[in-house]
Every structure is written in C-alpha cells, then in structure tokens.
Amino acid sequence: MARDYSGSQMHHQLEAKRRRLTWILGVSALCILFYVLGAWQATPSTQYDLYTKVGCNNNTAMSDNNGNASLSNPSIDLDFASHHQIDIESSKTVSQFPPCDMSYSEYTPCQDKVRGRKFDRDMMKYRERHCPSKEELLLCLIPAPPNYKTPFKWPQSRDYAWYNNIPHKELSIEKAIQNWIQVEGDRFRFPGGGTMFPRGADAYIDDIGELIPLTDGRIRTAVDTGCGVASFGAYLLKRNILTMSFAPRDTHEAQVQFALERGVPAMIGIMGSQRLPYPARAFDLAHCSRCLIPWSKNDGLYLTEVDRILRPGGYWVLSGPPIRWKNYWRGWERTKEDLKQEQDEIEDTAKRLCWKKVTEHNDLAIWQKPINHRECVKFKKRHGTPPLCKSQNPDTAWYRNLEACITPLPEATHATDVAGGELLKWPGRVVAVPPRISRGLVQGISVDRFVEDRELWHEKIAHYNRLITPFRSGRHRNIMDMNANFGGFAAALSKYPVWVMNVVPENSDPDTLGIIYERGLIGTYQDWCEGFSTYPRTYDLIHANGVFTMYQDRCDMTYILLEMDRILRPEGTVIFRDTVELLVKIKSITDGMRWKAQIVDHESGPFNPEKILVAVKTYWTGEATHKQP
C-alpha cells in the first residue's frame, strides 16, 4: 500500500487537519481489514517504474505528455514532515539543483584526466583513483547528451548501442580491423571481436573451453583485466559465468562506458600501485587478452595480486604478447630476445607463486593456482621470494598498496582439501551457506543469520515487483546494491535478466564481500563519501538499504545523492530503505534533483517503522553545443 509521508500541509488549519486525520484513520482501518482477509491484490505495472495499489489509496504512477516518468499528486497526503525532522550536519539546502555544463557530461570525479596529470606516472599512479577535494565537489546535475535514448534491452544491447548516448568514434576507427566496434547509422554495433580473437569472442571462448571447464558450473566468477569493450565478459554470460571487467579511463575513450551501455558488468580500474578493490579468493578465472599489463615487471607484483584474488584452483588465462612470440614477433614490433625474456620471467613468477602451467595451445597459455598451500609452504622454505605474507588481512583492498608477498590460503588438513572450503557448482552455490560462514571465518555472522536473510529476500523482491516495473520485464538490466550485506538482493534476482554490482562499504564491520563472491556474485568495495569508478548514466536501478544511516555522520548526504544521480540513467529507479526521518530528508533533497519520489510501506505492512522511498529520475538532457566533450 503506497502512501506519501513526506508532503508538507503546514498551511492547513488545525481543525481541517483533525477532521482529515479522523477520515484517514477510518480508511486505514478498512485497508488493514482488507489485507487480513487476503483481498489485497497487485495491479498491473505501468510503463514506467512506479505504481501503487488502488482502492484504499488512489496514488498512481503517471507519465507526462512527453512520456517522461512522473508521479501523480497523491489523493491522501499524510504529513510526517513536522514530526520527523533530524539535523544532518553540513547538509546542503538547495531548492533546485541546476544542470552542470555539458563539458561534464562524461564526468568521472575520481578518474579526472586533468587531476590525474598531477600524479606520478610510475606504476600508472596517475590513472588510479584521485578524488576531488570538498572544495571541488559539484552542486549540479550531470547532463545527458542531447537526443539521449533509453538503451536497448538485453540481449539486444549486447550487440547494439545508440550513437547519441556515447558519441565517440575513436575506437571504431582505431580498432577497425579488430572488430571491436562499428558505427552503423545512428547506432554502434559490437561484432564481438577483439585484438586477440579475430574470429569473435564466442569462438575464442570455445577455444578456452576445450582446455578448461567453462560450462559445468565450476567456474562462475571471472575478472577481465584491460577489458576493452568487454566482449569477453559479454559472451561468457551465455555460459553462466559472471565477469568483472575493468579498464582505465585512457586515450581509448569510453571503453567501460561502452561495456555498461551494452548491459555488461564493468568498472573503471587499473593495475597500478594499489590492490584491486576485491577480496581475496574472489574469482574462479582471471583473463588477460593483450591487456598491456607488464606482468614481468616489479618482480611480478601484478601476478602476485592476481594470485590474491584468485580462488584456490582458479585459472589465469593469457593471450597476446609474449605468447607464441616465435610466430608473432615481427607484427608486435619487438625483438625475439625481448619477448623470450618476458615469457621466461612470467613462467618464473608463476612458478614462484606455486602455480602449475596447464597448457600452452595456439595463442593461449593457462596456469592454475593450487587448491591449498601445503606444498607451497615447503617450496617457499627453499625458494624464499616472494615470501608468504604475514599478519595482514588478505581482504583489505581499499587504497591498500600492493605487497611483494604471497597471500596465504587458509590452512588445509589434507593435500586434497580445498583451502577455505569447496564451493558448490553454479547455481547451487548462490543459495548454499558460504564456507566463510559455515567455517566461522567471518566473526559475528552465524548460519542462522544468513539463512534468515536469504529467506527474507523472497518477500522483499515480491514487494518490489509490485512497486516498480517487474524485474522480469527487462526494464532494468544494470543494477547496483549500495550496501549489499550478504548479497541477498542480488541472489534473489539471479533468475531475472539482470546483473547486480554488489557494493560493500569499505568501513563495513563485518566485511561481507568475500561471502558475496562465494555465492557466485560479483561486487566491489567503495567509500560512498567519494565517487564511484564508473561513467555517468550506467545503472538502471540503485538499491540503497541503510546507506544513509551508515553515512549520516561521515559526509554530506547531498553529495551522495548527487553521485547517485550521476550514475543513474534517465528514467532510472532508486529504492531507499531507511527510517522515516532519513527518508523525509532524502526526499526533500531529491525533489530538487528532478526526481519523482514517494514513501511507501515496508513489505511487512504499515506498522513497521522502516519505510521505503521509491524514486524515478526524470528524463532530461543537456543543451547541444558546437563540440561534444
């Protein structure tokens, strides 16, 4: 039952409010009676993201004459604003946020190219995260390009994107012979090609599948370093493998932006001087296809980081230089001696990490991490570098410098034991109790607590499907959970045509991101006082469960909301879950952000003090300029 708790009717006379409240209480009593009798039925969804039930409340989601998402004026306006006021320290009060200049249309606050030039080029530090100071933060709305269109629905989006949404032809010209991307009239087409897979990503993945198991559910999570437009991750999805693809914001404009426009998971990121923002033992497979990462430099420090994030028994797949250097050295414009030395150094580093080389076949070389470190401990006593790390949390990855040591695996009793616990094949692992919980490796989290959370999400998703366009419709493809906990939201959505970026705030205690990966899901660490490593307009739906309770004393909530607006697509949806006090404050800010929002009841009914705010970002674009940024 949807009600608007946040509108202010303070100009009404006291007597009028008393009469109205008496009437409302009577209507509410009837609604509760209908609910108990089982007569409460969901109505069909509208074209856009919000709808409410009719009967006891006639609030409905509407669209304006231009087809833009909006909410009708509520017929029943319960005034909670005067009773639920809280002070958020230093929160900005802006009645209407103006649009930013069009030069900010592709603004990525923590990967700003101008700011990056101030930092050291050693180990690519200038391309790492460098966020703006408080004085540099923007109090405006990032505009969409003129003529922006709603992206194609999945799976069509894998192959097509609107040119006006990402008006960059650079890759179509520079990578023309490699079939990354082509311009066809008013749209881009993605043929599925890549530098090292001229026959297409599908055929390339089939080649890998001849060498390691890709389709039996053992390999579920993958990471693609230097991903290009993420065709590798896009075509792995049909094998039920979920890939975290990343690439830097560099001279090849908008690689990650193209990937997300296609409906494929991706982040802006780079292997530089710091750990990747993922926990230890996260991925079943890591992949590099001519990703230009100097694996043999810095004493193999980057391969040591890949080892940290690989699960026991996980695979590393490498194609491109220096593999098959005897055949390709002329085309790569390098000497045979240089390429041979590079491959020898990679082979040596892999050996010192205790990896086993599975095969080198045609253009592919594949290594495998051991399932435990029983033999590796003995090996390290004879070959000390890199040593096993001591006294550190292997999951700590937010602004943590790389270390020249091997992340030790949990102890194993027998040689055949999988360190940390063996995972079920997909899809069984998404519902199974993760080993980090069943083995008591995450303090304060019991099996009972996990199971209870898992079961609650079925009820929550059913409620969301009544509040917004149902997930099965394909209206939402790219989804973010800003405070993912155990990944229950993503797990409950795994049967729908969506994927979820599970975000665990870096200050969370306990840290649950490793649990999320053990469920066969993907995610990242993030501090929401800073910008997220993505382009504007890359998510269809954002889920914010308790985020503002967590951050209300840490940073200005206005800037968190503006960051959400930046990464949300026009006509995208946000679902907030929090206290009424905070939701009233949030709505007072989003009203000035061209959002249409409404507070509705918790799935358990009107007597639960936690409420839900559902908001839609309205469609608008920036003004055309002579030159796109």
Side-chain angles (χ1 to χ4, degrees), residues 311-377:
R311 280 199 51 73
Y315 297 95
W316 184 54
V317 179
L318 174 65
S319 65
I323 306 304
R324 293 197 75 191
W325 57 268
K326 292 179 181 179
N327 291 28
Y328 294 132
W329 67 275
R330 289 185 179 87
W332 289 338
E333 298 179 352
R334 292 171 60 184
T335 66
K336 290 187 289 186
E337 293 75 16
D338 179 35
L339 287 162
K340 180 181 184 304
Q341 180 181 353
E342 182 182 355
Q343 179 151 358
D344 288 345
E345 289 174 349
I346 289 174
E347 302 274 8
D348 179 64
T349 300
K351 183 178 180 180
R352 288 188 286 115
L353 291 171
C354 304
W355 292 4
K356 177 184 73 174
K357 190 168 186 179
V358 176
T359 187
E360 183 172 327
H361 181 73
N362 294 331
D363 295 343
L364 294 163
I366 302 176
W367 287 263
Q368 185 175 24
K369 181 177 176 176
I371 60 172
N372 60 55
H373 273 167
R374 288 172 57 86
E375 292 299 319
C376 191
V377 169

Side-chain angles (χ1 to χ4, degrees), residues 28-83:
S28 297
L30 287 174
C31 290
I32 293 168
L33 178 61
F34 290 158
Y35 184 85
V36 172
L37 293 176
W40 200 256
Q41 298 294 329
T43 61
S45 61
T46 63
Q47 178 182 0
Y48 296 105
D49 287 344
L50 290 175
Y51 74 84
T52 59
K53 299 188 180 69
V54 295
C56 295
N57 186 347
N58 290 323
N59 299 350
T60 55
M62 305 289 287
S63 58
D64 62 21
N65 294 331
N66 296 320
N68 302 333
S70 66
L71 288 174
S72 64
N73 292 325
S75 59
I76 300 176
D77 187 5
L78 297 184
D79 180 13
F80 270 57
S82 60
H83 304 290

Side-chain angles (χ1 to χ4, degrees), residues 346-537:
I346 289 174
E347 302 274 8
D348 179 64
T349 300
K351 183 178 180 180
R352 288 188 286 115
L353 291 171
C354 304
W355 292 4
K356 177 184 73 174
K357 190 168 186 179
V358 176
T359 187
E360 183 172 327
H361 181 73
N362 294 331
D363 295 343
L364 294 163
I366 302 176
W367 287 263
Q368 185 175 24
K369 181 177 176 176
I371 60 172
N372 60 55
H373 273 167
R374 288 172 57 86
E375 292 299 319
C376 191
V377 169
K378 299 175 185 177
F379 178 75
K380 287 289 107 183
K381 290 179 180 178
R382 302 191 302 271
H383 304 276
T385 57
L388 292 170
C389 301
K390 297 179 180 179
S391 303
Q392 57 132 332
N393 180 355
D395 292 342
T396 303
W398 189 248
Y399 293 126
R400 176 72 176 264
N401 288 336
L402 294 174
E403 297 182 55
C405 57
I406 300 172
T407 301
L409 292 173
E411 291 186 9
T413 305
H414 303 289
T416 57
D417 289 347
V418 177
E422 189 169 2
L423 298 177
L424 295 182
K425 293 181 179 180
W426 180 264
R429 59 195 278 192
V430 76
V431 295
V433 177
R436 293 188 191 223
I437 295 178
S438 62
R439 295 181 172 225
L441 301 179
V442 183
Q443 188 174 2
I445 298 180
S446 66
V447 171
D448 289 344
R449 181 179 167 189
F450 171 81
V451 172
E452 180 184 12
D453 179 83
R454 182 185 65 193
E455 298 308 314
L456 283 174
W457 274 105
H458 297 293
E459 182 182 1
K460 292 177 181 179
I461 295 300
H463 190 51
Y464 292 166
N465 276 328
R466 292 189 292 267
L467 294 174
I468 66 174
T469 304
F471 292 106
R472 65 177 177 273
S473 70
R475 174 70 180 84
H476 316 288
R477 171 63 183 173
N478 301 356
I479 297 177
M480 174 181 286
D481 192 350
M482 294 177 67
N483 185 18
N485 195 23
F486 303 143
F489 177 56
L493 291 178
S494 60
K495 63 182 179 181
Y496 296 108
V498 306
W499 65 270
V500 180
M501 180 68 77
N502 292 281
V503 178
V504 172
E506 55 83 25
N507 60 324
S508 292
D509 186 18
D511 175 0
T512 57
L513 192 53
I515 292 170
I516 289 169
Y517 273 95
E518 287 187 341
R519 301 187 74 178
L521 308 169
I522 60 171
T524 182
Y525 294 109
Q526 170 68 20
D527 181 350
W528 286 115
C529 293
E530 301 179 358
F532 191 77
S533 292
T534 192
Y535 283 83
R537 303 172 298 281

